[in-house]
Amino acid sequence: MMKRIYNITICALIALSLSSCVKETFPKGSTLTKEQLEQSDEAISYMLSGIPSAMTKSGTGGFNSTYGWHFDFGLPAIQLATETMLEDIAIGETGYYWLSGYYQNQSQGSDYAMCQFFWNQYYEWIKLANDIINVGGEITEETSADHKAIVGQAYAYRAAYYLDLARLYEPKPNGPLPPDKSILGLTVPIITEKTTEQQAKNNPRAPREKMYQMIISDLEKAEEYLRDRSSSYTSIGPAAVYGMLARTYLELGATYKEMGDPDTWDMTSQKAYQKAAEYSRKVIDMGLHTPLSQSQWEDPANGFNNGAANNAWIWGVSISSENVNNLIANVAFRSNEALYGYACYFNLGVNLALYNKIPDEDFRKHSWWDPDLDYNYQFAGGSTVSQIGSQTYLVHPSGYGVEIKKYSSLKFRPAQGNVLDYTTGNAADWCLMRIEEMYFIEIEAQLNISGLAKAQQLLNEFMQDYRYDSYDCSLRTMTTEAFIEELMLQRRIEFWGEGILFYDYKRLNRGITRGYVGTNIPAVATFNCEGRSPQWNIVITRGEYQSNKGIRHPQDNNPDPTEKLVLWE
C-alpha cells in the first residue's frame, strides 16, 4: 500500500495536479521539470486547491467504487465515524446507518475494510501536501510572499493530518494492550517529501516525541511563511496555524500529565499547557473571530453550512456541487431536514442523557427537535411539522415529507436551506475549527496552570457572554474532577457532531454511557465503558503491515477492539 501511495515521479505529479490553465504557462508538448514547477506559483497554487477537494469529494477514498460504501466522503465522514464511537449520537434506524460498524463495535480489526478507511485517506492527503512541499523548493529570503504562503499552507495541512493520526493511533491505557505494553508512546510512520520508496517499506511507528516535534516544526514553518497573511476561512491563515498549535500542545500537556514528562525532549506537561494557553489566547486576541450568536446557530438556511455567514469559523472547507451526489455527502448524513439524504431515514439524534442536562435557557438546546419544548423552531426550506396518526412528519411546502422523531438533530442545515435539490443542499461548507474551541482549550490549559478558580472564571465568562447569562459553574463544581466533568459537558453540547470530541474523550480518559433506564440509544449499541473505550486506539490496517516491514503484526499493532464492549442489560 505504501508503494502505491508514495512511488512519486514528476510525471505522475504533473498529471495529477495541473489544470488546463497551467498548460498555457509552458510550451505545448514540453515536459515540466521540478525547477519549472518551483517557479510557477500558478501550478502549485492549483495543486494546493486540490487538497480540500480530495478531503470532501463524494467517493474520494475509492471505498464507494470498491465496496459500495456510501460514507465515502472524506474527512467529514471520518469525523462522523469518530463521533459515532462516543456516547452522544442516537440513531433511530441502524439499518440505514452506514457507520453502524463503528456504532456497534464491529469489524474494526486490521483485516476489515473499515480499518483502512482512516489510514488510507489520511496518507493520501499527506501525499498531496508532500508533493507541494517537494515542488515548492527551498524557501529563501528572495522567495515571493505568495509562494511562501502556498508552501506554508501545505506544511499546515501535513501537520493537521499527522496530528489527527497521532491522536487516533497512539494507544492510551484502558483499552486492550499487549502484556508488555511495548506499543505505548508509538504513533504512526512518518512520510515526508524526502522519504524514499525503499524507506517507506521499512518504516516503523514513530515515537510520540519524534512525531510531535515534526508536527510543531511544520506548524512553525507555516507560521513563518504565513505571517501577517490575511485569509478567508477556506484557506489556512495564521489564526488556523495558532489554533493547530494550541490543539497540539493541549494534547501533549494532558499526555505528559498522565504518562510522566519525557527524558528525551525538553518538554513537560506544564510547558505544553503554557503553550496551549498562549496560542489559544493569541487566536482570541487577534479579534478576527467571535463565537456564533443564537441567530447564526439556528439559521435554517446557513446553520453550520456557510462559513461566510458568520465570523466564528477559523478554518473550513467549501464543498462544490460538482463534487457531491445525493447520498454520498456530508449533509446527506448529518441533516435530518435534507429530504434526499440518509439522515432523515436513520434519524440522527442526541443521546437523551445529554439532552436532559441542558437547561431550557441555553439556546444550544434547540439543536435538536423537542415537541415538548416551548420554542418556535424554524425549519429549513419552510418545512413544517405535521401530525399524521401517531407519527410526526416534517413536510416541505411542495408536499414532500419525512418522519421526524423526538430529539432529531436540527444543527446541520442543507446549504441555502434547500431540502429537495441535493446539488444545492449538499454543496455546504464544513467547519474544521471555530473560535469557540480556542476558549475551551484556554480553559483546560489554565486549569492545569493556574488552578480551579481561574478555570471557573474563564468558563463563566464564556458561557455568560455567549451562551446564557445565568450560567454559573461554581454552583456545579467543587473539585477539579467535577470541573473537568462540567467542562466536558459544555464541550459535548457545543461541538456535538462536529468531529472534534473524540480527541477530548481520549485525551481526558472519559467513559461513555449509552445504556441506562429510559435510554434512546438502540439496544444493539447500548455500551457503557469506564474510562477510554477500546475502540479509540485505532488499528493499523493489514495493507500497511504487509507492505511495511517496520510494523510487525500483531506485536507492533494496536489490538483489535472488535466486540470488546459489553452491551448494557
Side-chain angles (χ1 to χ4, degrees):
M1 190 162 299
M2 282 299 209
K3 180 177 180 180
R4 179 177 67 82
I5 296 175
Y6 289 103
N7 186 11
I8 305 169
T9 65
I10 196 67
C11 294
L13 176 66
I14 294 164
L16 173 69
S17 303
L18 300 183
S19 70
S20 58
C21 67
V22 177
K23 293 177 184 176
E24 299 173 2
T25 309
F26 302 98
K28 286 187 177 180
S30 67
T31 300
L32 303 185
T33 66
K34 182 174 182 292
E35 288 71 26
Q36 287 174 311
L37 280 167
E38 289 173 1
Q39 297 167 11
S40 172
D41 288 348
E42 186 179 8
I44 61 172
S45 177
Y46 186 79
M47 293 169 65
L48 182 68
S49 70
I51 292 181
S53 175
M55 289 164 59
T56 56
K57 184 178 180 179
S58 294
T60 184
F63 288 84
N64 180 57
S65 58
T66 303
Y67 305 111
W69 287 0
H70 284 188
F71 61 84
D72 184 11
F73 48 92
L75 184 57
I78 289 173
Q79 292 176 321
L80 185 56
T82 59
E83 293 278 319
T84 295
M85 290 187 280
L86 303 178
E87 62 183 320
D88 290 329
I89 285 181
I91 299 299
E93 299 291 342
T94 56
Y96 286 102
Y97 194 49
W98 283 85
L99 294 137
S100 286
Y102 301 104
Y103 199 46
Q104 297 172 217
N105 187 212
Q106 297 174 347
S107 306
Q108 291 181 274
S110 62
D111 291 340
Y112 293 96
M114 279 179 59
C115 186
Q116 301 174 26
F117 187 56
F118 294 45
W119 187 273
N120 290 16
Q121 293 190 96
Y122 272 111
Y123 275 104
E124 288 283 4
W125 303 332
I126 287 169
K127 176 192 179 299
L128 297 178
N130 281 338
D131 289 348
I132 296 168
I133 294 168
N134 183 41
V135 302
E138 182 182 359
I139 303 298
T140 67
E141 291 183 1
E142 287 73 36
T143 304
S144 72
D146 287 344
H147 191 94
K148 285 182 179 178
I150 294 167
V151 176
Q153 289 184 71
Y155 274 112
Y157 273 117
R158 187 170 76 179
Y161 300 144
Y162 275 120
L163 177 59
D164 281 2
L165 284 170
R167 294 182 294 176
L168 287 165
Y169 286 89
E170 182 184 346
K172 295 291 181 73
N174 202 51
L177 295 171
D180 61 0
K181 300 183 179 180
S182 58
I183 60 173
L184 284 177
L186 298 181
T187 60
V188 297
I190 293 175
I191 296 286
T192 73
E193 78 282 5
K194 297 179 181 179
T195 303
T196 66
E197 181 180 346
Q198 195 62 34
Q199 290 170 332
K201 290 179 178 179
N202 189 9
N203 194 6
R205 300 177 70 172
R208 179 195 304 125
E209 283 68 37
K210 182 178 180 181
M211 173 61 74
Y212 280 94
Q213 285 170 354
M214 190 201 75
I215 291 169
I216 291 169
S217 175
D218 276 4
L219 290 173
E220 287 175 345
K221 289 187 181 77
E223 180 182 8
E224 177 185 353
Y225 299 158
L226 293 166
R227 184 171 290 122
D228 302 323
R229 189 85 177 181
S230 61
S231 65
S232 71
Y233 65 94
T234 56
S235 61
I236 297 175
V241 173
Y242 298 147
M244 292 181 210
L245 282 163
R247 286 175 173 175
T248 301
Y249 282 113
L250 186 69
E251 179 70 23
L252 285 173
T255 298
Y256 290 137
K257 180 181 178 182
E258 180 180 3
M259 308 292 187
D261 293 333
D263 55 12
T264 57
W265 185 24
D266 182 25
M267 179 60 63
T268 66
S269 63
Q270 281 298 295
K271 286 182 180 179
Y273 280 128
Q274 289 279 3
K275 286 285 190 181
E278 172 190 333
Y279 280 110
S280 56
R281 175 46 56 177
K282 200 167 188 175
V283 180
I284 295 167
D285 287 346
M286 291 175 76
L288 300 175
H289 305 280
T290 54
L292 291 166
S293 66
Q294 179 175 356
S295 61
Q296 291 169 338
W297 188 290
E298 298 177 7
D299 188 334
N302 297 297
F304 288 90
N305 67 36
N306 182 3
N310 65 78
N311 64 345
W313 289 23
I314 298 171
W315 178 33
V317 287
S318 186
I319 302 174
S320 162
S321 60
E322 290 80 19
N323 286 341
V324 297
N325 70 7
N326 61 327
L327 294 175
I328 310 171
N330 185 40
V331 170
F333 271 74
R334 274 186 168 89
S335 177
N336 289 298
E337 296 171 289
L339 302 182
Y340 51 78
Y342 271 123
C344 61
Y345 290 101
F346 61 69
N347 205 256
L348 182 68
V350 64
N351 186 339
L352 181 59
L354 173 62
Y355 182 82
N356 284 340
K357 292 178 181 177
I358 309 173
D360 290 353
E361 58 265 38
D362 186 346
F363 70 77
R364 297 174 300 177
K365 194 168 189 173
H366 309 151
S367 301
W368 306 278
W369 181 66
D370 181 356
D372 299 326
L373 193 65
D374 184 17
Y375 187 70
N376 182 27
Y377 290 96
Q378 299 297 309
F379 298 101
S383 295
T384 56
V385 171
S386 296
Q387 191 73 26
I388 303 176
S390 61
Q391 295 176 310
T392 306
Y393 288 83
L394 194 60
V395 181
H396 186 263
S398 64
Y400 289 99
V402 69
E403 185 180 1
I404 184 171
K405 296 183 179 179
K406 197 173 183 179
Y407 313 122
S408 293
S409 173
L410 296 175
K411 183 174 180 179
F412 306 104
R413 309 298 185 119
Q416 301 179 42
N418 196 313
V419 304
L420 295 180
D421 178 10
Y422 75 86
T423 60
T424 300
N426 279 343
D429 296 343
W430 178 242
C431 184
L432 299 176
M433 182 187 295
R434 55 187 173 96
I435 189 65
E436 292 88 342
E437 184 186 354
M438 297 301 107
Y439 285 92
F440 281 94
I441 289 176
E442 180 184 39
I443 293 166
E444 185 179 332
Q446 286 294 350
L447 174 67
N448 291 278
I449 298 167
S450 305
L452 182 58
K454 179 64 174 179
Q456 286 179 320
Q457 173 199 331
L458 290 173
L459 182 55
N460 275 338
E461 288 174 357
F462 172 81
M463 292 293 295
Q464 291 167 12
D465 289 346
Y466 300 112
R467 295 302 173 246
Y468 62 100
D469 57 15
S470 62
Y471 178 85
D472 186 355
C473 74
S474 63
L475 299 177
R476 305 170 182 223
T477 62
M478 299 296 290
T479 65
T480 297
E481 178 58 31
F483 179 81
I484 293 172
E485 191 69 27
E486 174 64 18
L487 183 63
M488 270 300 298
L489 173 63
Q490 297 308 324
R491 287 192 72 121
R492 290 160 63 194
I493 299 167
E494 183 75 26
F495 300 110
W496 181 91
E498 295 183 49
I500 67 173
L501 288 170
F502 178 92
Y503 306 114
D504 301 324
Y505 271 82
K506 188 173 179 178
R507 180 181 70 253
L508 294 172
N509 194 19
R510 313 315 292 176
I512 59 174
T513 303
R514 297 185 190 170
Y516 52 89
V517 175
T519 183
N520 63 332
I521 304 293
V524 293
T526 51
F527 303 115
N528 295 337
C529 181
E530 291 287 335
R532 296 183 181 99
S533 166
Q535 291 181 284
W536 303 345
N537 295 331
I538 309 300
V539 178
I540 295 172
T541 179
R542 180 177 63 184
E544 177 62 18
Y545 64 73
Q546 286 181 337
S547 62
N548 179 1
K549 294 180 181 179
I551 299 178
R552 301 164 299 168
H553 182 77
Q555 56 265 49
D556 296 332
N557 204 351
N558 295 344
D560 183 351
T562 300
E563 297 183 357
K564 292 296 189 294
L565 293 170
V566 179
L567 286 170
W568 171 78
E569 294 182 6

